Amino acid sequence: MLSTLNTRSLYFLGFCFCLIMMAYALYAEYQLLLTPCPLCVLQRIAVSITGIIFLVAAIQNPIKFTQNIYTLFLIFFSLSGAGVAGWHIWLQNLPADKVPSCGPGFDYIIGNFPLSDALLLIFSGSGECASIDWSFMTLSMPAWVLVCCLGLSYLSVYIYARSSSK
């Protein structure tokens, strides 16, 4: 199916996929009442930036040089989201006695600490990041984000490889 779409449509497909991911994240927060932990917020940021890059690329329909830049940014941000999700999964699978205590929320951390300290606090994890409040087909939400971010990274490489072969 992907082989029948042009480059602009593939970029737009990537944007739509990110949009669906963010729509579900907001649905989970406001309808299912699942409060996002700091790592969830970082995953949302990575997916949102990836989606914006896909949208801009779809609008611009870049030439070769610009497409290289888009591909680098898409890979960086989608793999950043995958990395944060992987760290989140690791925290969720820690033994109960190794789970860090609950810490402050994302807004408090970002608002009251320098960025380097804030990121250190976020990535050291907290008890709220280790809990699994939602799963589908035995995978937690961060596991699905990991799968989706890897898929977005693959899509960006696919678009690049396909347009390079033309």
PDB file of all heavy atoms in Angstrom, residues 113-134:
ATOM      1  N   PHE A 113      13.063  24.131  38.415  1.00  0.00           N
ATOM      2  CA  PHE A 113      14.434  23.643  38.350  1.00  0.00           C
ATOM      3  C   PHE A 113      15.066  24.062  37.028  1.00  0.00           C
ATOM      4  O   PHE A 113      14.372  24.180  36.021  1.00  0.00           O
ATOM      5  CB  PHE A 113      14.469  22.103  38.451  1.00  0.00           C
ATOM      6  CG  PHE A 113      14.052  21.570  39.789  1.00  0.00           C
ATOM      7  CD1 PHE A 113      12.748  21.131  39.999  1.00  0.00           C
ATOM      8  CD2 PHE A 113      14.948  21.491  40.838  1.00  0.00           C
ATOM      9  CE1 PHE A 113      12.350  20.630  41.228  1.00  0.00           C
ATOM     10  CE2 PHE A 113      14.562  20.990  42.076  1.00  0.00           C
ATOM     11  CZ  PHE A 113      13.263  20.570  42.267  1.00  0.00           C
ATOM     12  N   PRO A 114      16.400  24.253  37.023  1.00  0.00           N
ATOM     13  CA  PRO A 114      17.068  24.466  35.732  1.00  0.00           C
ATOM     14  C   PRO A 114      16.865  23.241  34.840  1.00  0.00           C
ATOM     15  O   PRO A 114      16.664  22.133  35.342  1.00  0.00           O
ATOM     16  CB  PRO A 114      18.547  24.618  36.110  1.00  0.00           C
ATOM     17  CG  PRO A 114      18.585  24.838  37.583  1.00  0.00           C
ATOM     18  CD  PRO A 114      17.312  24.288  38.144  1.00  0.00           C
ATOM     19  N   LEU A 115      16.928  23.442  33.527  1.00  0.00           N
ATOM     20  CA  LEU A 115      16.606  22.379  32.582  1.00  0.00           C
ATOM     21  C   LEU A 115      17.424  21.112  32.827  1.00  0.00           C
ATOM     22  O   LEU A 115      16.881  20.006  32.806  1.00  0.00           O
ATOM     23  CB  LEU A 115      16.794  22.860  31.144  1.00  0.00           C
ATOM     24  CG  LEU A 115      16.387  21.879  30.056  1.00  0.00           C
ATOM     25  CD1 LEU A 115      14.918  21.490  30.192  1.00  0.00           C
ATOM     26  CD2 LEU A 115      16.660  22.450  28.682  1.00  0.00           C
ATOM     27  N   SER A 116      18.716  21.257  33.083  1.00  0.00           N
ATOM     28  CA  SER A 116      19.546  20.059  33.296  1.00  0.00           C
ATOM     29  C   SER A 116      19.097  19.292  34.534  1.00  0.00           C
ATOM     30  O   SER A 116      19.022  18.060  34.525  1.00  0.00           O
ATOM     31  CB  SER A 116      21.021  20.440  33.404  1.00  0.00           C
ATOM     32  OG  SER A 116      21.222  21.318  34.502  1.00  0.00           O
ATOM     33  N   ASP A 117      18.789  20.012  35.615  1.00  0.00           N
ATOM     34  CA  ASP A 117      18.300  19.350  36.831  1.00  0.00           C
ATOM     35  C   ASP A 117      16.916  18.754  36.613  1.00  0.00           C
ATOM     36  O   ASP A 117      16.602  17.675  37.121  1.00  0.00           O
ATOM     37  CB  ASP A 117      18.247  20.331  38.011  1.00  0.00           C
ATOM     38  CG  ASP A 117      19.630  20.785  38.464  1.00  0.00           C
ATOM     39  OD1 ASP A 117      20.624  20.115  38.089  1.00  0.00           O
ATOM     40  OD2 ASP A 117      19.707  21.803  39.168  1.00  0.00           O
ATOM     41  N   ALA A 118      16.075  19.476  35.847  1.00  0.00           N
ATOM     42  CA  ALA A 118      14.723  18.989  35.576  1.00  0.00           C
ATOM     43  C   ALA A 118      14.773  17.673  34.810  1.00  0.00           C
ATOM     44  O   ALA A 118      14.075  16.714  35.149  1.00  0.00           O
ATOM     45  CB  ALA A 118      13.930  20.033  34.799  1.00  0.00           C
ATOM     46  N   LEU A 119      15.607  17.616  33.775  1.00  0.00           N
ATOM     47  CA  LEU A 119      15.713  16.378  32.989  1.00  0.00           C
ATOM     48  C   LEU A 119      16.272  15.240  33.836  1.00  0.00           C
ATOM     49  O   LEU A 119      15.823  14.101  33.718  1.00  0.00           O
ATOM     50  CB  LEU A 119      16.571  16.606  31.749  1.00  0.00           C
ATOM     51  CG  LEU A 119      15.932  17.489  30.677  1.00  0.00           C
ATOM     52  CD1 LEU A 119      16.918  17.751  29.546  1.00  0.00           C
ATOM     53  CD2 LEU A 119      14.647  16.882  30.152  1.00  0.00           C
ATOM     54  N   LEU A 120      17.224  15.553  34.697  1.00  0.00           N
ATOM     55  CA  LEU A 120      17.770  14.528  35.589  1.00  0.00           C
ATOM     56  C   LEU A 120      16.683  13.979  36.515  1.00  0.00           C
ATOM     57  O   LEU A 120      16.571  12.766  36.704  1.00  0.00           O
ATOM     58  CB  LEU A 120      18.938  15.097  36.401  1.00  0.00           C
ATOM     59  CG  LEU A 120      19.664  14.131  37.301  1.00  0.00           C
ATOM     60  CD1 LEU A 120      20.322  13.028  36.476  1.00  0.00           C
ATOM     61  CD2 LEU A 120      20.704  14.848  38.133  1.00  0.00           C
ATOM     62  N   LEU A 121      15.860  14.868  37.062  1.00  0.00           N
ATOM     63  CA  LEU A 121      14.752  14.428  37.924  1.00  0.00           C
ATOM     64  C   LEU A 121      13.740  13.585  37.151  1.00  0.00           C
ATOM     65  O   LEU A 121      13.267  12.559  37.642  1.00  0.00           O
ATOM     66  CB  LEU A 121      14.029  15.637  38.527  1.00  0.00           C
ATOM     67  CG  LEU A 121      14.616  16.250  39.781  1.00  0.00           C
ATOM     68  CD1 LEU A 121      13.924  17.568  40.098  1.00  0.00           C
ATOM     69  CD2 LEU A 121      14.478  15.293  40.945  1.00  0.00           C
ATOM     70  N   ILE A 122      13.406  14.027  35.952  1.00  0.00           N
ATOM     71  CA  ILE A 122      12.413  13.304  35.144  1.00  0.00           C
ATOM     72  C   ILE A 122      12.922  11.911  34.805  1.00  0.00           C
ATOM     73  O   ILE A 122      12.211  10.914  34.946  1.00  0.00           O
ATOM     74  CB  ILE A 122      12.072  14.101  33.867  1.00  0.00           C
ATOM     75  CG1 ILE A 122      11.266  15.346  34.226  1.00  0.00           C
ATOM     76  CG2 ILE A 122      11.298  13.236  32.879  1.00  0.00           C
ATOM     77  CD1 ILE A 122      11.107  16.333  33.099  1.00  0.00           C
ATOM     78  N   PHE A 123      14.190  11.819  34.369  1.00  0.00           N
ATOM     79  CA  PHE A 123      14.713  10.521  33.954  1.00  0.00           C
ATOM     80  C   PHE A 123      15.121   9.623  35.111  1.00  0.00           C
ATOM     81  O   PHE A 123      15.323   8.431  34.920  1.00  0.00           O
ATOM     82  CB  PHE A 123      15.859  10.681  32.951  1.00  0.00           C
ATOM     83  CG  PHE A 123      15.363  10.989  31.580  1.00  0.00           C
ATOM     84  CD1 PHE A 123      15.458  12.267  31.061  1.00  0.00           C
ATOM     85  CD2 PHE A 123      14.758  10.010  30.815  1.00  0.00           C
ATOM     86  CE1 PHE A 123      14.978  12.559  29.800  1.00  0.00           C
ATOM     87  CE2 PHE A 123      14.265  10.281  29.561  1.00  0.00           C
ATOM     88  CZ  PHE A 123      14.381  11.561  29.051  1.00  0.00           C
ATOM     89  N   SER A 124      15.221  10.180  36.300  1.00  0.00           N
ATOM     90  CA  SER A 124      15.459   9.291  37.436  1.00  0.00           C
ATOM     91  C   SER A 124      14.168   8.561  37.790  1.00  0.00           C
ATOM     92  O   SER A 124      14.186   7.572  38.498  1.00  0.00           O
ATOM     93  CB  SER A 124      15.996  10.071  38.644  1.00  0.00           C
ATOM     94  OG  SER A 124      15.044  11.010  39.082  1.00  0.00           O
ATOM     95  N   GLY A 125      13.075   9.068  37.247  1.00  0.00           N
ATOM     96  CA  GLY A 125      11.791   8.375  37.402  1.00  0.00           C
ATOM     97  C   GLY A 125      11.147   8.656  38.737  1.00  0.00           C
ATOM     98  O   GLY A 125      11.732   9.233  39.638  1.00  0.00           O
ATOM     99  N   SER A 126       9.930   8.243  38.826  1.00  0.00           N
ATOM    100  CA  SER A 126       9.197   8.345  40.076  1.00  0.00           C
ATOM    101  C   SER A 126       8.198   7.202  40.129  1.00  0.00           C
ATOM    102  O   SER A 126       7.987   6.513  39.134  1.00  0.00           O
ATOM    103  CB  SER A 126       8.485   9.704  40.169  1.00  0.00           C
ATOM    104  OG  SER A 126       7.469   9.798  39.215  1.00  0.00           O
ATOM    105  N   GLY A 127       7.619   7.018  41.282  1.00  0.00           N
ATOM    106  CA  GLY A 127       6.669   5.925  41.463  1.00  0.00           C
ATOM    107  C   GLY A 127       5.502   5.985  40.509  1.00  0.00           C
ATOM    108  O   GLY A 127       5.002   4.955  40.052  1.00  0.00           O
ATOM    109  N   GLU A 128       5.075   7.190  40.173  1.00  0.00           N
ATOM    110  CA  GLU A 128       3.949   7.313  39.253  1.00  0.00           C
ATOM    111  C   GLU A 128       4.319   6.836  37.849  1.00  0.00           C
ATOM    112  O   GLU A 128       3.478   6.338  37.118  1.00  0.00           O
ATOM    113  CB  GLU A 128       3.440   8.753  39.213  1.00  0.00           C
ATOM    114  CG  GLU A 128       4.448   9.740  38.655  1.00  0.00           C
ATOM    115  CD  GLU A 128       3.959  11.171  38.697  1.00  0.00           C
ATOM    116  OE1 GLU A 128       2.806  11.429  38.344  1.00  0.00           O
ATOM    117  OE2 GLU A 128       4.762  12.028  39.081  1.00  0.00           O
ATOM    118  N   CYS A 129       5.590   6.965  37.465  1.00  0.00           N
ATOM    119  CA  CYS A 129       6.027   6.492  36.145  1.00  0.00           C
ATOM    120  C   CYS A 129       6.105   4.967  36.100  1.00  0.00           C
ATOM    121  O   CYS A 129       6.072   4.375  35.028  1.00  0.00           O
ATOM    122  CB  CYS A 129       7.397   7.068  35.791  1.00  0.00           C
ATOM    123  SG  CYS A 129       7.386   8.849  35.516  1.00  0.00           S
ATOM    124  N   ALA A 130       6.228   4.337  37.249  1.00  0.00           N
ATOM    125  CA  ALA A 130       6.388   2.885  37.287  1.00  0.00           C
ATOM    126  C   ALA A 130       5.053   2.138  37.302  1.00  0.00           C
ATOM    127  O   ALA A 130       5.023   0.932  37.077  1.00  0.00           O
ATOM    128  CB  ALA A 130       7.209   2.486  38.509  1.00  0.00           C
ATOM    129  N   SER A 131       3.970   2.855  37.551  1.00  0.00           N
ATOM    130  CA  SER A 131       2.680   2.163  37.597  1.00  0.00           C
ATOM    131  C   SER A 131       2.135   1.949  36.189  1.00  0.00           C
ATOM    132  O   SER A 131       2.356   2.754  35.288  1.00  0.00           O
ATOM    133  CB  SER A 131       1.672   2.957  38.436  1.00  0.00           C
ATOM    134  OG  SER A 131       1.365   4.166  37.795  1.00  0.00           O
ATOM    135  N   ILE A 132       1.430   0.853  36.019  1.00  0.00           N
ATOM    136  CA  ILE A 132       0.795   0.539  34.742  1.00  0.00           C
ATOM    137  C   ILE A 132      -0.704   0.669  34.940  1.00  0.00           C
ATOM    138  O   ILE A 132      -1.333  -0.162  35.591  1.00  0.00           O
ATOM    139  CB  ILE A 132       1.164  -0.876  34.254  1.00  0.00           C
ATOM    140  CG1 ILE A 132       2.671  -0.986  34.051  1.00  0.00           C
ATOM    141  CG2 ILE A 132       0.414  -1.202  32.960  1.00  0.00           C
ATOM    142  CD1 ILE A 132       3.156  -2.376  33.689  1.00  0.00           C
ATOM    143  N   ASP A 133      -1.271   1.759  34.400  1.00  0.00           N
ATOM    144  CA  ASP A 133      -2.694   2.035  34.568  1.00  0.00           C
ATOM    145  C   ASP A 133      -3.524   1.608  33.370  1.00  0.00           C
ATOM    146  O   ASP A 133      -4.742   1.614  33.429  1.00  0.00           O
ATOM    147  CB  ASP A 133      -2.915   3.540  34.783  1.00  0.00           C
ATOM    148  CG  ASP A 133      -2.190   4.048  36.010  1.00  0.00           C
ATOM    149  OD1 ASP A 133      -2.058   3.295  36.985  1.00  0.00           O
ATOM    150  OD2 ASP A 133      -1.752   5.219  35.985  1.00  0.00           O
ATOM    151  N   TRP A 134      -2.867   1.259  32.274  1.00  0.00           N
ATOM    152  CA  TRP A 134      -3.572   0.979  31.025  1.00  0.00           C
ATOM    153  C   TRP A 134      -2.748  -0.025  30.233  1.00  0.00           C
ATOM    154  O   TRP A 134      -1.529   0.056  30.187  1.00  0.00           O
ATOM    155  CB  TRP A 134      -3.696   2.281  30.241  1.00  0.00           C
ATOM    156  CG  TRP A 134      -4.368   2.196  28.915  1.00  0.00           C
ATOM    157  CD1 TRP A 134      -5.671   2.476  28.659  1.00  0.00           C
ATOM    158  CD2 TRP A 134      -3.781   1.839  27.652  1.00  0.00           C
ATOM    159  NE1 TRP A 134      -5.932   2.317  27.314  1.00  0.00           N
ATOM    160  CE2 TRP A 134      -4.773   1.917  26.673  1.00  0.00           C
ATOM    161  CE3 TRP A 134      -2.513   1.446  27.260  1.00  0.00           C
ATOM    162  CZ2 TRP A 134      -4.559   1.646  25.337  1.00  0.00           C
ATOM    163  CZ3 TRP A 134      -2.287   1.161  25.925  1.00  0.00           C
ATOM    164  CH2 TRP A 134      -3.310   1.265  24.980  1.00  0.00           C
TER     165      TRP A 134
END
